Amino acid sequence: MAAPQIIAFEPPLSGTAGGQIVSLFGNALDSVTTVSFGVQPALVFSAYLVSGHPTYNSRIDAVVPPGEGTAVISVSGPGGSTSTGQIGRASCRERV
């Protein structure tokens, strides 16, 4: 089984109240079993296969938990785990 890979996400993380929906785009995300923002798990998430896109094959929509400052978005599943690195709640890598 392939390791998950996060390529991009949108919209930028903003605020600290939580409840924002963030979409993660990447590969092998459809088999992910956990999504975390820093040490806090996503409040809820759903994974989808994406067909026809040249850069990624799957997407996750996750509800961000309350938090402050920066967060590492990480995902784990049977194929392994990956993360975005430190991301400010007001920053984002543009979706490709």
Side-chain angles (χ1 to χ4, degrees):
M1 181 160 290
Q5 175 189 32
I6 299 171
I7 295 173
F9 72 96
E10 68 179 19
L13 295 175
S14 62
T16 59
Q20 175 185 3
I21 297 174
V22 171
S23 295
L24 309 173
F25 302 90
N27 295 304
L29 298 177
D30 55 308
S31 61
V32 161
T33 56
T34 62
V35 176
S36 298
F37 293 82
V39 297
Q40 298 181 20
L43 297 178
V44 67
F45 71 92
S46 296
Y48 309 91
L49 286 174
V50 175
S51 60
H53 194 279
T55 309
Y56 56 84
N57 67 15
S58 49
R59 172 183 125 196
I60 291 175
D61 292 337
V63 179
V64 179
E68 307 229 2
T70 61
V72 172
I73 301 174
S74 57
V75 297
S76 298
S81 59
T82 190
S83 68
T84 58
Q86 291 289 330
I87 296 172
R89 286 197 170 255
S91 68
C92 175
R93 179 175 169 202
E94 292 223 8
R95 183 171 66 139
V96 289

